[in-house]
């Protein structure tokens, strides 16, 4: 998620530590004696993401997951003692989420989200995007859905209309854990994060959000699935999946709540070297 493209508030950058300033350095093409995990991720993303309308091939997904699975908080300059993990106004409501953009290009972006305990990133979608999420620190609850029929429940429908979605995840994850991957129409494309402890999540989005290209972020509220109250008939496949334990929910598009706005800070972790190689 990118603040300027999703309605989130982007404040003036703040200093968050004494780490090297600047996310990207430029060098002429030459052999690097040592490649950091973040640099390795950046170089792999340049190879994997081809732009809007494409989805990474399975071997490429495996490649990125392998890199992300081995990444540690230190690889992006983090520790459990950094200030923005501590809620400043915990007694006055839900604490705010902070984010730092490491890199953003036309084909992909790298971003870190920092969530104090009880902070929430509400249910939202990723239109036409493939997203890799790596929980670097902490424990969080993740809930995610996919549309039952993406072609049937498309963006042309009225926003007030309830849409049926299949529940994909409703569990607590604790770092270190495997990277999660969502796709344009599967893998839990619509998800929400709730921090149980201080958390840091590294997101790789390909391509990034873009209002101009029709990839704006939409927010939803979910309701328990009880019956097809709107008169839609169930297919035999849906009836069989329900018997096998598949769970569903009704999703309704909503405006982003004011308390869900995020604060942007400057990324001060290890830099990315952007070569022409």
């Amino acid at each position: 998620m990118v603040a300027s493209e999703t309605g989130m508030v982007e404040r003036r950058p703040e200093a968050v530590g004494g780490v090297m300033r600047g996310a990207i350095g430029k060098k002429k093409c030459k052999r690097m004696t040592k490649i950091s995990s973040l640099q390795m991720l950046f170089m792999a993303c340049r190879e994997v993401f081809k732009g809007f309308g494409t989805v990474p091939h399975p071997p490429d997904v495996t490649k990125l997951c392998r890199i992300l699975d081995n990444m540690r908080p230190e690889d992006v300059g983090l520790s459990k003692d950094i200030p923005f993990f501590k809620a400043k106004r915990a007694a006055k409501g839900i604490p705010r989420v902070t984010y730092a953009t490491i890199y953003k290009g036309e084909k992909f972006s790298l971003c870190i989200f920092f969530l104090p305990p009880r902070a929430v990133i509400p249910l939202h979608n990723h239109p036409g995007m493939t997203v890799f999420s790596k929980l670097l620190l902490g424990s969080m609850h993740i809930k995610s859905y996919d549309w039952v029929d993406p072609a049937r429940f498309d963006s042309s429908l009225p926003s007030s209309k309830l849409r049926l979605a299949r529940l994909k995840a409703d569990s607590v994850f604790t770092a270190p854990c495997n990277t999660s991957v969502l796709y344009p129409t599967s893998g839990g494309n619509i998800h929400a994060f709730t921090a149980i402890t201080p958390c840091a999540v590294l997101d790789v989005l390909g391509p990034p959000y873009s209002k101009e290209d029709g990839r704006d972020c939409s927010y939803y509220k979910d309701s328990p699935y009880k019956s097809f109250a709107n008169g839609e008939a169930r297919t035999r496949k849906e009836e069989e999946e329900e018997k096998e334990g598949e769970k569903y929910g009704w999703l309704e598009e909503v405006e982003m709540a004011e308390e869900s706005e995020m604060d942007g800070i400057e990324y001060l972790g290890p830099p990315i070297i952007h070569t022409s190689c």
Side-chain angles (χ1 to χ4, degrees):
M1 292 168 34
V2 177
S4 60
E5 300 293 349
T6 63
M8 302 172 195
V9 171
E10 183 171 3
R11 297 187 174 181
R12 296 181 68 87
E14 303 172 5
V16 293
V19 197
M20 185 179 300
R21 182 178 299 273
I24 298 180
K26 293 185 178 180
K27 286 188 176 182
K28 294 181 179 180
C29 184
K30 66 178 182 179
R31 184 180 299 276
M32 297 182 189
T33 56
K34 185 177 181 181
I35 300 178
S36 68
S37 296
L38 181 60
Q39 183 69 31
M40 191 180 304
L41 175 63
F42 174 73
M43 294 169 66
C45 287
R46 288 203 304 180
E47 296 178 357
V48 168
F49 292 107
K50 308 300 183 183
F52 180 68
T54 64
V55 175
H57 297 299
D60 290 331
V61 171
T62 300
K63 178 180 181 179
L64 288 183
C65 284
R66 186 179 298 115
I67 296 172
L68 285 163
D69 286 345
N70 290 318
M71 290 190 69
R72 303 170 298 170
E74 308 89 80
D75 293 325
V76 289
L78 300 182
S79 74
K80 294 181 180 179
D81 299 323
I82 48 183
F84 40 66
F85 281 143
K86 301 175 182 179
K88 297 178 181 179
R89 298 181 295 276
K92 297 183 180 180
I94 298 175
R96 294 171 75 99
V97 176
T98 303
Y99 73 93
T101 300
I102 301 175
Y103 169 83
K104 182 182 177 182
E106 292 184 0
K107 296 181 179 180
F108 70 94
S109 64
L110 307 175
C111 190
I112 310 174
F113 294 91
F114 309 104
L115 293 82
R118 299 187 300 109
V120 176
I121 298 179
L123 207 60
H124 62 281
N125 69 346
H126 306 80
M129 300 157 65
T130 302
V131 181
F132 296 74
S133 294
K134 170 62 177 177
L135 181 60
L136 295 170
L137 285 172
S139 295
M140 67 163 47
H141 178 266
I142 298 177
K143 191 173 191 180
S144 65
Y145 292 91
D146 285 318
W147 297 124
V148 167
D149 187 342
R152 187 177 178 186
F153 298 103
D154 59 26
S155 58
S156 65
L157 292 173
S159 60
S160 61
K161 182 178 177 62
L162 292 175
R163 307 181 192 181
L164 186 65
R166 181 180 292 105
L167 184 67
K168 298 298 293 185
D170 190 11
S171 304
V172 173
F173 295 81
T174 301
C177 58
N178 292 335
T179 302
S180 63
V181 187
L182 62 84
Y183 301 91
T185 59
S186 64
N189 185 277
I190 305 164
H191 68 195
F193 295 161
T194 303
I196 298 173
T197 67
C199 294
V201 182
L202 173 60
D203 265 9
V204 179
L205 298 88
Y209 286 105
S210 172
K211 286 184 178 180
E212 293 75 14
D213 297 323
R215 295 191 304 278
D216 196 8
C217 184
S218 298
Y219 292 85
Y220 302 88
K221 68 175 181 179
D222 59 341
S223 302
Y225 169 79
K226 295 181 180 179
S227 63
F228 283 64
N230 63 350
E232 296 285 351
R234 286 185 293 183
T235 65
R236 176 171 297 182
K237 179 181 178 182
E238 290 165 354
E239 291 177 344
E240 291 175 351
E241 288 175 342
E242 184 181 2
K243 293 178 182 178
E244 294 174 359
E246 290 279 358
K247 296 183 179 180
Y248 298 87
W250 293 107
L251 302 190
E252 180 180 6
E253 187 173 345
V254 296
E255 295 294 327
M256 186 189 67
E258 183 178 351
E259 60 268 22
S260 297
E261 293 176 344
M262 298 185 183
D263 295 329
I265 59 173
E266 183 178 6
Y267 171 70
L268 299 177
I272 290 172
I273 306 302
H274 197 170
T275 69
S276 58
C277 301

